[in-house]
Amino acid sequence: MPTRTSTMSTTAVNLSRTVRDAAVTVFSALLVAAGLKLFLIPHQLLSGGVAGAASVLGYLTNPKYISAIYFAINLPILIWGFIAVGKKYIGLSMLCVASTTWFLAVIPQVQVTKDPILASIFGGVIIAGGVGFSLRAGGSSGGFDILGSIITRKRDVPIGTVLFVMDGVVILTLGFMKSWDSALYAMLCVFVKSRVVNLIHIRHVKLTCFIVTKHKNEMLERLNQLPHGVTVVNTEGGYSHEGNTMLMTVTTRYELAELRKAVMSVDPTAFVNVLETVEILGRFKRLA
C-alpha cells in the first residue's frame, strides 16, 4: 500500500513534468512564430500546414490578419482532436496554438535575410524545431500536426513524411494563386522542415535489442515493466561453452535510454546488441 510520502513524491514528479512540458510547448510556439515572422512572411513564403494556409489567406488579404486566421483554422481541429485524441495531447496543443497566435501578433516582422532561399532553409529549420519539440513534449503545434500524429499512431510512418505530403496541397494552392517561384521556395522550406522534424521526433524509429545475461529471471522481471514484450532464447557461449540467456525485445529510439538503464540496473556485465529495425509485422505497442 503506497505511503503518504510516496504519493506526495509521485504528485511532485508529475507536477514537475507537467510544468516542464508546458514550458517546452511555449518555447516551441516561440520558434514557430519566429520562423514565420522573421524568415517566411517577409518573403511571402510558406511553411506548409495550417500556418501555411493562414499565410496564403493573409497574403491575399492583409498579412496582419495571419495570426487571427491561424487561430480560427486551428480551433475546429483542436475541438475534434479533444474528442478523438488524449486530453493531455490536445491540452498541450491548445497551449501551443494559443501561444503561437500571441507570438505572431507581438513579434515584429523583420526581414533577416534578403535571399528567399536562405529564408526558406532557416525558416524551415526553426519552425521544425518548434514542431519537433512540441511533439516530444507530448503535444503538437496544432493543425496538420494533429492529423499527422493520429496517422503515425495507426501506421509506422515518420510524421515528417506525413506532414510533407499534406503540406504539398497548401503549396500547390500557393502556386496557383500567387506564383510558382514562391511555391518552389515553399517546397524547399517544407522539405527541410520534414527532415528536421524526423530527426527530433524519433518515436517511430524501431530498434531490436538482443540482451545476453546470466540473470534471466531478474532481467525478465525488470524488462516486463516496460511497454514492450520480451522473447527468451537459451544460448551457449561459443568460447566458454557456458549456458546463457538471450532476451530479445523491440523498442523505439525514444525509449532506448530507459531500456539501457533497466538492463544496467540488473546486470552491468550484460552484453547488449542494438539494431535498427526496418519493419515490424504483428503486435507492437505504439507510443501515444
Side-chain angles (χ1 to χ4, degrees), residues 66-223:
I66 290 178
S67 61
I69 297 171
Y70 172 81
F71 183 79
I73 297 176
N74 267 296
L75 189 58
I77 297 177
L78 288 169
I79 294 174
W80 172 78
F82 186 79
I83 299 172
V85 194
K87 293 182 179 179
K88 179 187 176 182
Y89 173 77
I90 295 301
L92 290 173
S93 299
M94 288 179 174
L95 174 62
C96 190
V97 168
S99 300
T100 302
T101 302
W102 185 75
F103 284 129
L104 282 172
V106 300
I107 294 177
Q109 182 175 312
V110 179
Q111 192 178 79
V112 175
T113 176
K114 294 181 180 180
D115 188 339
I117 295 179
L118 290 178
S120 299
I121 294 174
F122 284 96
V125 170
I126 293 173
I127 293 172
V131 173
F133 289 130
S134 64
L135 289 169
R136 290 196 68 163
S140 76
S141 59
F144 286 3
D145 295 346
I146 295 176
L147 302 178
S149 295
I150 293 173
I151 292 174
T152 55
R153 292 181 190 193
K154 303 296 183 181
R155 304 287 181 181
D156 283 328
V157 292
I159 190 170
T161 303
V162 176
L163 296 179
F164 183 76
V165 173
M166 292 191 291
D167 289 342
V169 177
V170 178
I171 292 171
L172 289 174
T173 302
L174 177 68
F176 281 111
M177 300 184 71
K178 191 175 183 296
S179 75
W180 287 107
D181 283 346
S182 297
L184 292 174
Y185 286 134
M187 182 63 75
L188 173 62
C189 175
V190 169
F191 177 78
V192 171
K193 187 181 78 170
S194 70
R195 298 303 94 189
V196 177
V197 168
N198 283 342
L199 290 175
I200 298 174
H201 184 64
I202 54 178
R203 296 189 180 203
H204 69 277
V205 179
K206 306 297 184 298
L207 302 172
T208 299
C209 302
F210 298 96
I211 305 160
V212 180
T213 179
K214 293 183 180 297
H215 303 274
K216 171 185 174 181
N217 295 330
E218 297 92 331
M219 189 69 74
L220 261 179
E221 182 180 357
R222 183 67 181 88
L223 293 181

Side-chain angles (χ1 to χ4, degrees), residues 12-76:
V13 169
N14 291 336
L15 179 61
S16 175
R17 184 178 298 135
T18 301
V19 172
R20 181 199 64 194
D21 291 342
V24 171
T25 299
V26 173
F27 177 69
S28 301
L30 174 61
L31 290 178
V32 172
L36 289 168
K37 292 300 288 286
L38 302 181
F39 291 93
L40 301 187
I41 293 177
H43 290 276
Q44 295 201 344
L45 299 174
L46 300 182
S47 66
V50 169
S55 297
V56 170
L57 295 175
Y59 299 153
L60 296 175
T61 55
N62 191 324
K64 72 178 183 179
Y65 297 134
I66 290 178
S67 61
I69 297 171
Y70 172 81
F71 183 79
I73 297 176
N74 267 296
L75 189 58

